PDB file of all heavy atoms in Angstrom:
ATOM      1  N   GLY A 256      45.091  14.073 -13.293  1.00 96.00           N
ATOM      2  CA  GLY A 256      44.732  13.573 -11.978  1.00 96.00           C
ATOM      3  C   GLY A 256      44.156  14.630 -11.031  1.00 96.00           C
ATOM      4  O   GLY A 256      43.903  14.340  -9.885  1.00 96.00           O
ATOM      5  N   VAL A 257      43.985  15.785 -11.650  1.00 98.00           N
ATOM      6  CA  VAL A 257      43.381  16.913 -10.698  1.00 98.00           C
ATOM      7  C   VAL A 257      42.088  17.519 -11.223  1.00 98.00           C
ATOM      8  O   VAL A 257      42.020  17.832 -12.411  1.00 98.00           O
ATOM      9  CB  VAL A 257      44.518  17.989 -10.458  1.00 98.00           C
ATOM     10  CG1 VAL A 257      43.940  19.193  -9.579  1.00 98.00           C
ATOM     11  CG2 VAL A 257      45.797  17.540 -10.013  1.00 98.00           C
ATOM     12  N   ILE A 258      41.222  17.729 -10.357  1.00 98.00           N
ATOM     13  CA  ILE A 258      39.929  18.574 -10.646  1.00 98.00           C
ATOM     14  C   ILE A 258      40.167  19.839  -9.787  1.00 98.00           C
ATOM     15  O   ILE A 258      40.435  19.748  -8.689  1.00 98.00           O
ATOM     16  CB  ILE A 258      38.653  17.906 -10.258  1.00 98.00           C
ATOM     17  CG1 ILE A 258      38.549  16.572 -11.032  1.00 98.00           C
ATOM     18  CG2 ILE A 258      37.493  18.870 -10.615  1.00 98.00           C
ATOM     19  CD1 ILE A 258      37.304  15.691 -10.593  1.00 98.00           C
ATOM     20  N   TYR A 259      40.217  20.900 -10.465  1.00 98.00           N
ATOM     21  CA  TYR A 259      40.553  22.235  -9.866  1.00 98.00           C
ATOM     22  C   TYR A 259      39.221  22.917  -9.604  1.00 98.00           C
ATOM     23  O   TYR A 259      38.343  23.006 -10.663  1.00 98.00           O
ATOM     24  CB  TYR A 259      41.382  22.969 -10.769  1.00 98.00           C
ATOM     25  CG  TYR A 259      41.678  24.387 -10.287  1.00 98.00           C
ATOM     26  CD1 TYR A 259      42.733  24.777  -9.519  1.00 98.00           C
ATOM     27  CD2 TYR A 259      40.827  25.551 -10.586  1.00 98.00           C
ATOM     28  CE1 TYR A 259      43.189  26.074  -9.014  1.00 98.00           C
ATOM     29  CE2 TYR A 259      41.098  26.708 -10.245  1.00 98.00           C
ATOM     30  CZ  TYR A 259      42.130  26.972  -9.508  1.00 98.00           C
ATOM     31  OH  TYR A 259      42.390  28.316  -9.019  1.00 98.00           O
ATOM     32  N   LEU A 260      38.957  23.461  -8.598  1.00 98.00           N
ATOM     33  CA  LEU A 260      37.738  24.332  -8.278  1.00 98.00           C
ATOM     34  C   LEU A 260      38.103  25.846  -8.119  1.00 98.00           C
ATOM     35  O   LEU A 260      38.973  26.068  -7.187  1.00 98.00           O
ATOM     36  CB  LEU A 260      36.936  23.762  -7.135  1.00 98.00           C
ATOM     37  CG  LEU A 260      36.586  22.293  -7.080  1.00 98.00           C
ATOM     38  CD1 LEU A 260      35.716  22.071  -5.878  1.00 98.00           C
ATOM     39  CD2 LEU A 260      35.947  21.926  -8.335  1.00 98.00           C
ATOM     40  N   GLY A 261      37.457  26.860  -8.638  1.00 98.00           N
ATOM     41  CA  GLY A 261      37.763  28.119  -8.403  1.00 98.00           C
ATOM     42  C   GLY A 261      36.382  28.819  -8.149  1.00 98.00           C
ATOM     43  O   GLY A 261      35.304  28.253  -8.423  1.00 98.00           O
ATOM     44  N   SER A 262      36.448  30.124  -7.692  1.00 98.00           N
ATOM     45  CA  SER A 262      35.185  30.911  -7.347  1.00 98.00           C
ATOM     46  C   SER A 262      35.502  32.393  -7.548  1.00 98.00           C
ATOM     47  O   SER A 262      36.707  32.939  -7.390  1.00 98.00           O
ATOM     48  CB  SER A 262      35.012  30.601  -5.976  1.00 98.00           C
ATOM     49  OG  SER A 262      33.895  31.371  -5.419  1.00 98.00           O
ATOM     50  N   PHE A 263      34.375  33.047  -7.957  1.00 98.00           N
ATOM     51  CA  PHE A 263      34.462  34.609  -7.887  1.00 98.00           C
ATOM     52  C   PHE A 263      33.987  35.139  -6.569  1.00 98.00           C
ATOM     53  O   PHE A 263      33.867  36.400  -6.405  1.00 98.00           O
ATOM     54  CB  PHE A 263      33.641  35.185  -9.100  1.00 98.00           C
ATOM     55  CG  PHE A 263      34.283  34.849 -10.335  1.00 98.00           C
ATOM     56  CD1 PHE A 263      33.825  33.983 -11.275  1.00 98.00           C
ATOM     57  CD2 PHE A 263      35.488  35.618 -10.746  1.00 98.00           C
ATOM     58  CE1 PHE A 263      34.313  33.693 -12.630  1.00 98.00           C
ATOM     59  CE2 PHE A 263      36.100  35.336 -11.970  1.00 98.00           C
ATOM     60  CZ  PHE A 263      35.541  34.480 -12.826  1.00 98.00           C
ATOM     61  N   SER A 264      33.630  34.252  -5.639  1.00 97.00           N
ATOM     62  CA  SER A 264      33.056  34.713  -4.332  1.00 97.00           C
ATOM     63  C   SER A 264      33.947  35.650  -3.570  1.00 97.00           C
ATOM     64  O   SER A 264      33.504  36.583  -2.914  1.00 97.00           O
ATOM     65  CB  SER A 264      32.551  33.505  -3.473  1.00 97.00           C
ATOM     66  OG  SER A 264      31.510  32.981  -4.139  1.00 97.00           O
ATOM     67  N   LYS A 265      35.217  35.332  -3.616  1.00 97.00           N
ATOM     68  CA  LYS A 265      36.220  36.124  -2.645  1.00 97.00           C
ATOM     69  C   LYS A 265      36.847  37.137  -3.396  1.00 97.00           C
ATOM     70  O   LYS A 265      37.456  38.037  -2.770  1.00 97.00           O
ATOM     71  CB  LYS A 265      37.115  35.188  -2.000  1.00 97.00           C
ATOM     72  CG  LYS A 265      36.637  33.759  -1.571  1.00 97.00           C
ATOM     73  CD  LYS A 265      35.745  33.846  -0.323  1.00 97.00           C
ATOM     74  CE  LYS A 265      35.146  32.559  -0.003  1.00 97.00           C
ATOM     75  NZ  LYS A 265      34.204  32.512   1.080  1.00 97.00           N
ATOM     76  N   THR A 266      36.901  36.986  -4.654  1.00 96.00           N
ATOM     77  CA  THR A 266      37.711  37.966  -5.493  1.00 96.00           C
ATOM     78  C   THR A 266      36.869  39.010  -6.123  1.00 96.00           C
ATOM     79  O   THR A 266      37.224  40.096  -6.703  1.00 96.00           O
ATOM     80  CB  THR A 266      38.637  37.246  -6.601  1.00 96.00           C
ATOM     81  OG1 THR A 266      37.733  36.368  -7.284  1.00 96.00           O
ATOM     82  CG2 THR A 266      39.726  36.433  -6.006  1.00 96.00           C
ATOM     83  N   PHE A 267      35.556  38.738  -6.154  1.00 96.00           N
ATOM     84  CA  PHE A 267      34.476  39.645  -6.756  1.00 96.00           C
ATOM     85  C   PHE A 267      33.333  39.791  -5.636  1.00 96.00           C
ATOM     86  O   PHE A 267      33.485  40.494  -4.730  1.00 96.00           O
ATOM     87  CB  PHE A 267      34.179  39.255  -8.116  1.00 96.00           C
ATOM     88  CG  PHE A 267      32.995  40.131  -8.713  1.00 96.00           C
ATOM     89  CD1 PHE A 267      32.864  41.462  -8.342  1.00 96.00           C
ATOM     90  CD2 PHE A 267      32.176  39.690  -9.574  1.00 96.00           C
ATOM     91  CE1 PHE A 267      31.846  42.316  -8.916  1.00 96.00           C
ATOM     92  CE2 PHE A 267      31.195  40.523 -10.256  1.00 96.00           C
ATOM     93  CZ  PHE A 267      30.943  41.731  -9.844  1.00 96.00           C
ATOM     94  N   ALA A 268      32.352  39.007  -5.849  1.00 96.00           N
ATOM     95  CA  ALA A 268      31.222  38.972  -4.859  1.00 96.00           C
ATOM     96  C   ALA A 268      30.516  37.709  -4.844  1.00 96.00           C
ATOM     97  O   ALA A 268      30.283  37.051  -5.774  1.00 96.00           O
ATOM     98  CB  ALA A 268      30.289  40.109  -5.356  1.00 96.00           C
ATOM     99  N   PRO A 269      30.205  37.129  -3.570  1.00 97.00           N
ATOM    100  CA  PRO A 269      29.636  35.891  -3.586  1.00 97.00           C
ATOM    101  C   PRO A 269      28.105  35.841  -3.961  1.00 97.00           C
ATOM    102  O   PRO A 269      27.575  34.763  -4.323  1.00 97.00           O
ATOM    103  CB  PRO A 269      29.650  35.556  -2.042  1.00 97.00           C
ATOM    104  CG  PRO A 269      29.877  36.939  -1.276  1.00 97.00           C
ATOM    105  CD  PRO A 269      30.405  37.797  -2.332  1.00 97.00           C
ATOM    106  N   GLY A 270      27.452  37.050  -4.022  1.00 96.00           N
ATOM    107  CA  GLY A 270      26.158  37.064  -4.354  1.00 96.00           C
ATOM    108  C   GLY A 270      25.757  36.540  -5.820  1.00 96.00           C
ATOM    109  O   GLY A 270      24.585  36.136  -5.977  1.00 96.00           O
ATOM    110  N   PHE A 271      26.677  36.670  -6.602  1.00 97.00           N
ATOM    111  CA  PHE A 271      26.360  36.247  -7.986  1.00 97.00           C
ATOM    112  C   PHE A 271      26.384  34.589  -7.987  1.00 97.00           C
ATOM    113  O   PHE A 271      25.777  34.130  -8.893  1.00 97.00           O
ATOM    114  CB  PHE A 271      27.561  36.793  -8.956  1.00 97.00           C
ATOM    115  CG  PHE A 271      27.439  38.132  -9.259  1.00 97.00           C
ATOM    116  CD1 PHE A 271      28.279  39.186  -8.586  1.00 97.00           C
ATOM    117  CD2 PHE A 271      26.373  38.704 -10.043  1.00 97.00           C
ATOM    118  CE1 PHE A 271      28.094  40.344  -8.738  1.00 97.00           C
ATOM    119  CE2 PHE A 271      26.189  40.048 -10.229  1.00 97.00           C
ATOM    120  CZ  PHE A 271      27.082  40.897  -9.501  1.00 97.00           C
ATOM    121  N   ARG A 272      27.076  34.090  -7.060  1.00 98.00           N
ATOM    122  CA  ARG A 272      27.084  32.589  -6.926  1.00 98.00           C
ATOM    123  C   ARG A 272      27.711  32.037  -8.290  1.00 98.00           C
ATOM    124  O   ARG A 272      27.126  31.116  -8.815  1.00 98.00           O
ATOM    125  CB  ARG A 272      25.706  31.925  -6.610  1.00 98.00           C
ATOM    126  CG  ARG A 272      24.930  32.461  -5.470  1.00 98.00           C
ATOM    127  CD  ARG A 272      25.710  32.411  -4.101  1.00 98.00           C
ATOM    128  NE  ARG A 272      26.154  31.065  -3.791  1.00 98.00           N
ATOM    129  CZ  ARG A 272      27.432  30.810  -3.581  1.00 98.00           C
ATOM    130  NH1 ARG A 272      28.346  31.617  -3.572  1.00 98.00           N
ATOM    131  NH2 ARG A 272      27.663  29.627  -3.195  1.00 98.00           N
ATOM    132  N   VAL A 273      28.914  32.535  -8.569  1.00 98.00           N
ATOM    133  CA  VAL A 273      29.538  31.972  -9.833  1.00 98.00           C
ATOM    134  C   VAL A 273      30.835  31.285  -9.407  1.00 98.00           C
ATOM    135  O   VAL A 273      31.787  32.037  -8.854  1.00 98.00           O
ATOM    136  CB  VAL A 273      29.772  33.025 -10.808  1.00 98.00           C
ATOM    137  CG1 VAL A 273      30.553  32.409 -11.980  1.00 98.00           C
ATOM    138  CG2 VAL A 273      28.360  33.493 -11.386  1.00 98.00           C
ATOM    139  N   GLY A 274      30.994  30.083  -9.647  1.00 98.00           N
ATOM    140  CA  GLY A 274      32.294  29.318  -9.428  1.00 98.00           C
ATOM    141  C   GLY A 274      32.539  28.469 -10.550  1.00 98.00           C
ATOM    142  O   GLY A 274      31.797  28.492 -11.512  1.00 98.00           O
ATOM    143  N   TRP A 275      33.558  27.602 -10.581  1.00 98.00           N
ATOM    144  CA  TRP A 275      33.755  26.644 -11.591  1.00 98.00           C
ATOM    145  C   TRP A 275      34.528  25.442 -11.255  1.00 98.00           C
ATOM    146  O   TRP A 275      35.163  25.504 -10.146  1.00 98.00           O
ATOM    147  CB  TRP A 275      34.444  27.382 -12.775  1.00 98.00           C
ATOM    148  CG  TRP A 275      35.811  27.832 -12.625  1.00 98.00           C
ATOM    149  CD1 TRP A 275      36.963  27.098 -12.883  1.00 98.00           C
ATOM    150  CD2 TRP A 275      36.364  29.025 -12.022  1.00 98.00           C
ATOM    151  NE1 TRP A 275      38.160  27.799 -12.479  1.00 98.00           N
ATOM    152  CE2 TRP A 275      37.785  28.974 -11.985  1.00 98.00           C
ATOM    153  CE3 TRP A 275      35.666  30.143 -11.449  1.00 98.00           C
ATOM    154  CZ2 TRP A 275      38.592  29.987 -11.425  1.00 98.00           C
ATOM    155  CZ3 TRP A 275      36.452  31.198 -11.038  1.00 98.00           C
ATOM    156  CH2 TRP A 275      37.870  31.112 -10.994  1.00 98.00           C
ATOM    157  N   ALA A 276      34.480  24.491 -12.146  1.00 98.00           N
ATOM    158  CA  ALA A 276      35.338  23.342 -11.995  1.00 98.00           C
ATOM    159  C   ALA A 276      36.124  23.179 -13.305  1.00 98.00           C
ATOM    160  O   ALA A 276      35.570  23.394 -14.456  1.00 98.00           O
ATOM    161  CB  ALA A 276      34.517  22.008 -11.815  1.00 98.00           C
ATOM    162  N   LEU A 277      37.474  22.950 -13.190  1.00 98.00           N
ATOM    163  CA  LEU A 277      38.239  22.580 -14.390  1.00 98.00           C
ATOM    164  C   LEU A 277      38.537  21.066 -14.255  1.00 98.00           C
ATOM    165  O   LEU A 277      39.191  20.610 -13.261  1.00 98.00           O
ATOM    166  CB  LEU A 277      39.558  23.365 -14.486  1.00 98.00           C
ATOM    167  CG  LEU A 277      40.613  23.024 -15.449  1.00 98.00           C
ATOM    168  CD1 LEU A 277      40.037  23.255 -16.879  1.00 98.00           C
ATOM    169  CD2 LEU A 277      41.953  23.767 -15.184  1.00 98.00           C
ATOM    170  N   ALA A 278      38.083  20.367 -15.278  1.00 98.00           N
ATOM    171  CA  ALA A 278      38.296  18.861 -15.136  1.00 98.00           C
ATOM    172  C   ALA A 278      38.853  18.159 -16.318  1.00 98.00           C
ATOM    173  O   ALA A 278      38.650  18.689 -17.486  1.00 98.00           O
ATOM    174  CB  ALA A 278      36.845  18.196 -14.768  1.00 98.00           C
ATOM    175  N   PRO A 279      39.389  17.003 -16.185  1.00 96.00           N
ATOM    176  CA  PRO A 279      39.805  16.132 -17.309  1.00 96.00           C
ATOM    177  C   PRO A 279      38.587  15.979 -18.255  1.00 96.00           C
ATOM    178  O   PRO A 279      37.441  15.933 -17.708  1.00 96.00           O
ATOM    179  CB  PRO A 279      40.286  14.896 -16.788  1.00 96.00           C
ATOM    180  CG  PRO A 279      40.565  15.270 -15.357  1.00 96.00           C
ATOM    181  CD  PRO A 279      39.799  16.288 -14.893  1.00 96.00           C
ATOM    182  N   HIS A 280      38.728  15.856 -19.552  1.00 94.00           N
ATOM    183  CA  HIS A 280      37.713  15.940 -20.483  1.00 94.00           C
ATOM    184  C   HIS A 280      36.529  14.981 -20.162  1.00 94.00           C
ATOM    185  O   HIS A 280      35.354  15.503 -20.159  1.00 94.00           O
ATOM    186  CB  HIS A 280      38.208  15.677 -21.887  1.00 94.00           C
ATOM    187  CG  HIS A 280      37.409  16.408 -22.926  1.00 94.00           C
ATOM    188  ND1 HIS A 280      37.427  17.636 -23.131  1.00 94.00           N
ATOM    189  CD2 HIS A 280      36.635  15.838 -23.777  1.00 94.00           C
ATOM    190  CE1 HIS A 280      36.668  17.924 -24.065  1.00 94.00           C
ATOM    191  NE2 HIS A 280      36.118  16.863 -24.435  1.00 94.00           N
ATOM    192  N   ALA A 281      36.826  13.798 -19.824  1.00 93.00           N
ATOM    193  CA  ALA A 281      35.701  12.779 -19.634  1.00 93.00           C
ATOM    194  C   ALA A 281      34.949  13.207 -18.452  1.00 93.00           C
ATOM    195  O   ALA A 281      33.695  13.107 -18.415  1.00 93.00           O
ATOM    196  CB  ALA A 281      36.317  11.332 -19.516  1.00 93.00           C
ATOM    197  N   VAL A 282      35.657  13.655 -17.324  1.00 97.00           N
ATOM    198  CA  VAL A 282      34.896  13.955 -16.176  1.00 97.00           C
ATOM    199  C   VAL A 282      34.068  15.276 -16.409  1.00 97.00           C
ATOM    200  O   VAL A 282      32.930  15.430 -15.948  1.00 97.00           O
ATOM    201  CB  VAL A 282      35.975  14.194 -15.035  1.00 97.00           C
ATOM    202  CG1 VAL A 282      35.422  14.790 -13.843  1.00 97.00           C
ATOM    203  CG2 VAL A 282      36.821  13.126 -14.735  1.00 97.00           C
TER     204      VAL A 282
END
Side-chain angles (χ1 to χ4, degrees):
V257 179
I258 300 174
Y259 173 98
L260 310 185
S262 174
F263 289 108
S264 289
K265 321 290 177 181
T266 51
F267 176 25
F271 290 100
R272 308 304 301 124
V273 176
W275 69 90
L277 169 68
H280 208 70
V282 176

